[in-house]
Amino acid sequence: MEGARAHLDDSVFSNPHLNKGSAFSAEERRALGLEGLLPPVPSTLDHQVSRIHAQLATLDNDLQKYLLLSDLQARNETLYYAVLMSDPAGFMPLVYTPTVGEACQKFDHIFHAARGVYLPISAKGQVKRWLSHWPEKNVRFIVVTDGERILGLGDLGAGGMGIPIGKLALYTACAGVPPELCLPVTIDVGTNNAALLDDPLYLGLRHQRVRGEQYDDFIDEFVTAVEELYPKSCIQWEDFANFNAVPILAKYRDRVCTYNDDIQGTASVALAGIYGALRISGQKLADQRFLFLGAGSAATGIAELISQAMVMEGLTIDQARSRNNLFDINGLLTSSSKMMEFQKPFAVEHEPISDFAVAIRAMRPTGIIGVSTVPKLFNQRVIEAISEINDRPIIFPYSNPTSRSECTAEEAYTWSNGRAIFASGSPFPPLSVDGKSFVPGQGNNVYIFPPMGMAVYATEAKRVTDQMFIVAAKAVAEQVGQDSLDVGLIYPPQSKILKTSLHVATRIAEHIFERGLARVPRPDDLSRLIAEKVYVPAYGRNPSVRRYSSAAAAG
């Protein structure tokens, strides 16, 4: 009996789903043979949350805070999510961008505990078996990366696993998606990062990236394995290089429930920001023109979703696309430019222009959107150029992390004489320019992918469509109050992210049912359907105790 108890002790303490740490009650300690193994007075979950807050307060380095939270996730999942959900806005920069970027860069040197599934291309032909080793069998969400284009940091190989882990943590913290339904995956096909290949501590495959047919076949084997093992699962593609991201999405979007957050999620949050900006300027979407700095899949994804939304306001698709222009390292994308297939719809008939400020004066956009991952390219000449031709210029430097932002909030407001309608990909603090207060908005995909996940989960949607992202963008913009618009904030306060996410999820769910994409019957009350699915951290036999009311959402 004692041997059995010792075995149980180990399993309880080492299982993050079951471990309560100091919160095991006196009765549980007796039943599980834990007496004497913990301090004598049990804690409440609230006390444990306060203790973690106190521990974090002693650390002055965000990476150290990230590591503390990662260790907590590995040993006590309920407490981890209780901490995150106690202050989602405060913890988002720690569990995701910008801190996750540094964590991915240093992944091999700070590795503490394994989480998720790693699928090296050396496992070709065995992907289903490897994937089946994940202990949870009802997987509903998979975030997968091949580590080639991590944020704006480039090829980080196997170290890219921090991205799927962080994204899925936000599915739960920001929209209540039960964590046991989520699986982070890294596909390792090698790395072209010479520094990683030379690093003796690097944990990934030590060869150049596999390309072409071998790569495509391995991705297909992965998708097939997911279909067979987890037929209700949604696959979110994350941080793939443009030349892989676009064809992968095109190949599988009509075969399985899937989307690419870098393409569609980024597009949706940008469109949400534009809808918010138009509430300030009083203009119509169909009258706007945008010039993108960057011409990759993020830029074309945003441009295409804006174009589709413009079509809903009466333009033809060709007219709409002509109002979204791209500018890359070679200059304005024209019909004579060398380009990839996915860029061609946005090429314009125009003489070449190699200077972005000159392109602004020539194309006369109402807004500029930065997705270049190159910092400081929205310089004073650029900001002044867009401000000369617009009373309220839309300026969105969306590249992240912060070190990659095309400009800062202070630069945009100062150089536009306070007239900019600003949002960025990474956070900037409130500021005052010429005596006027501004609260910069962060165009964070967290407004989109968590509620998209909740809507897909609640409805068991068969597909994810572009129209769902337009619905999401409008729903996000609906949540911005006039008090926020008055200080230039065009996104809802992140302090109310759960309330916002459930509103957005409900709107998406309505669309899913209207389009016949759901695999469950439509209930009379969609808000209640969403609320009943929300994970609320609580200790119990079932690690996912879901008790959430519409009244709580309203609060």
Side-chain angles (χ1 to χ4, degrees):
M1 179 63 71
E2 290 302 316
R5 280 190 174 183
H7 176 73
L8 186 54
D9 298 345
D10 293 340
S11 65
V12 168
F13 281 133
S14 63
N15 187 328
H17 302 306
L18 302 177
N19 186 18
K20 300 182 182 182
S22 61
F24 281 109
S25 68
E27 293 77 12
E28 289 169 328
R29 297 178 191 205
R30 278 194 297 272
L32 297 173
L34 302 180
E35 293 170 307
L37 302 181
L38 291 164
V41 179
S43 297
T44 65
L45 182 57
D46 286 342
H47 288 154
Q48 289 181 307
V49 170
S50 296
R51 190 173 294 121
I52 296 299
H53 277 279
Q55 292 171 8
L56 288 166
T58 67
L59 303 175
D60 57 6
N61 180 289
D62 284 349
L63 184 61
Q64 291 176 343
K65 295 177 182 180
Y66 174 92
L67 292 173
L68 187 153
L69 291 169
S70 295
D71 286 345
L72 179 62
Q73 185 180 24
R75 73 174 188 273
N76 186 334
E77 192 171 74
T78 301
L79 177 55
Y80 172 76
Y81 285 108
V83 170
L84 263 56
M85 296 176 84
S86 71
D87 182 15
F91 284 107
M92 272 190 278
L94 293 180
V95 300
Y96 202 61
T97 183
T99 309
V100 73
E102 183 181 2
C104 289
Q105 288 177 306
K106 299 177 178 178
F107 180 82
D108 311 288
H109 292 252
I110 62 174
F111 183 81
H112 283 202
R115 185 172 185 84
V117 171
Y118 295 81
L119 297 174
I121 198 165
S122 54
K124 183 172 173 56
Q126 306 176 71
V127 168
K128 182 179 178 180
R129 181 172 67 84
W130 284 44
L131 202 56
S132 71
H133 294 161
W134 185 249
E136 300 291 341
K137 302 308 175 187
N138 183 27
V139 173
R140 299 291 295 277
F141 295 96
I142 294 173
V143 176
V144 56
T145 186
D146 71 353
E148 186 162 10
R149 202 225 65 181
I150 297 300
L151 302 174
L153 303 172
D155 185 349
L156 299 184
M161 179 57 100
I163 298 298
I165 292 172
K167 283 267 174 161
L168 289 170
L170 296 182
Y171 267 84
T172 301
C174 299
V177 175
E180 71 271 18
L181 305 181
C182 301
L183 171 58
V185 173
T186 289
I187 291 175
D188 188 351
V189 297
T191 178
N192 293 345
N193 187 327
L196 293 179
L197 294 174
D198 291 339
D199 186 346
L201 297 183
Y202 180 57
L203 291 163
L205 294 178
R206 293 178 178 275
H207 57 66
Q208 294 288 306
R209 285 185 172 271
V210 172
R211 303 289 192 196
E213 186 176 350
Q214 280 183 281
Y215 178 92
D216 296 340
D217 289 348
F218 194 62
I219 295 294
D220 196 68
E221 184 182 352
F222 164 71
V223 174
T224 300
V226 170
E227 287 181 287
E228 295 175 358
L229 290 171
Y230 315 118
K232 293 183 179 180
S233 185
C234 179
I235 302 172
Q236 177 186 323
W237 308 95
E238 190 70 29
D239 287 353
F240 285 72
N242 295 333
F243 49 80
N244 287 323
V246 174
I248 285 174
L249 180 61
K251 181 175 181 179
Y252 296 108
R253 66 187 305 166
D254 295 324
R255 170 175 154 182
V256 297
C257 183
T258 190
Y259 71 97
N260 184 304
D261 186 55
D262 301 307
I263 298 174
Q264 296 160 289
T266 299
S268 185
V269 80
L271 182 59
I274 291 167
Y275 282 134
L278 296 179
R279 290 179 60 190
I280 293 176
S281 69
Q283 298 176 1
K284 296 181 180 179
L285 179 64
D287 295 331
Q288 305 306 299
R289 179 182 293 278
F290 296 98
L291 180 60
F292 292 81
L293 185 59
S297 58
T300 57
I302 298 171
E304 181 61 22
L305 199 68
I306 293 173
S307 298
Q308 291 186 31
M310 286 178 166
V311 168
M312 295 171 66
E313 293 194 2
L315 299 186
T316 68
I317 190 63
D318 288 339
Q319 289 172 332
R321 286 170 176 163
S322 72
R323 303 185 73 83
N324 290 275
N325 309 134
L326 308 179
F327 189 102
D328 66 8
I329 192 172
N330 297 312
L332 183 68
L333 199 72
T334 70
S335 55
S336 61
S337 302
K338 183 178 180 180
M339 71 191 88
M340 300 181 73
E341 194 65 32
F342 68 88
Q343 297 168 320
K344 290 182 179 179
F346 304 101
V348 294
E349 293 289 341
H350 200 282
E351 62 185 22
I353 303 176
S354 59
D355 184 290
F356 192 65
V358 173
I360 288 174
R361 291 187 171 91
M363 307 309 295
R364 302 188 67 79
T366 53
I368 52 175
I369 299 175
V371 282
S372 66
T373 73
V374 181
K376 303 301 181 183
L377 291 185
F378 285 1
N379 55 33
Q380 186 169 353
R381 287 181 61 245
V382 166
I383 302 299
E384 289 178 348
I386 187 73
S387 301
E388 285 173 9
I389 57 176
N390 295 282
D391 289 334
R392 299 302 306 270
I394 296 172
I395 301 173
F396 288 176
Y398 274 148
S399 293
N400 58 44
T402 309
S403 61
R404 303 282 174 157
S405 184
E406 285 81 5
C407 70
T408 67
E410 183 176 11
E411 289 166 344
Y413 287 125
T414 299
W415 294 333
S416 68
N417 295 317
R419 292 187 287 116
I421 303 175
F422 177 89
S424 55
S426 290
F428 288 102
L431 72 158
S432 178
V433 176
D434 294 332
K436 185 174 182 180
S437 297
F438 296 96
V439 179
Q442 183 187 2
N444 193 323
N445 291 21
V446 76
Y447 289 113
I448 303 298
F449 67 83
M452 185 65 67
M454 174 52 76
V456 169
Y457 165 53
T459 63
E460 297 186 14
K462 293 178 283 189
R463 297 289 183 271
V464 178
T465 67
D466 283 344
Q467 288 70 33
M468 289 159 67
F469 287 98
I470 295 176
V471 170
K474 290 181 177 179
V476 170
E478 289 171 356
Q479 295 292 288
V480 183
Q482 187 59 48
D483 56 338
S484 294
L485 296 175
D486 289 342
V487 291
L489 181 59
I490 57 175
Y491 290 102
Q494 290 187 358
S495 60
K496 298 181 179 179
I497 190 65
L498 181 59
K499 176 185 175 183
T500 297
S501 291
L502 299 189
H503 172 81
V504 176
T506 301
R507 289 284 190 268
I508 298 171
E510 289 174 355
H511 181 84
I512 290 170
F513 281 112
E514 288 169 0
R515 296 305 172 95
L517 295 172
R519 285 183 278 201
V520 298
R522 178 170 183 151
D524 294 332
D525 188 341
L526 281 181
S527 295
R528 183 176 179 180
L529 171 70
I530 298 296
E532 288 177 344
K533 296 291 185 180
V534 173
Y535 165 87
V536 177
Y539 289 129
R541 290 186 179 181
N542 183 344
S544 184
V545 179
R546 298 168 208 137
R547 297 288 185 270
Y548 191 84
S549 68
S550 297

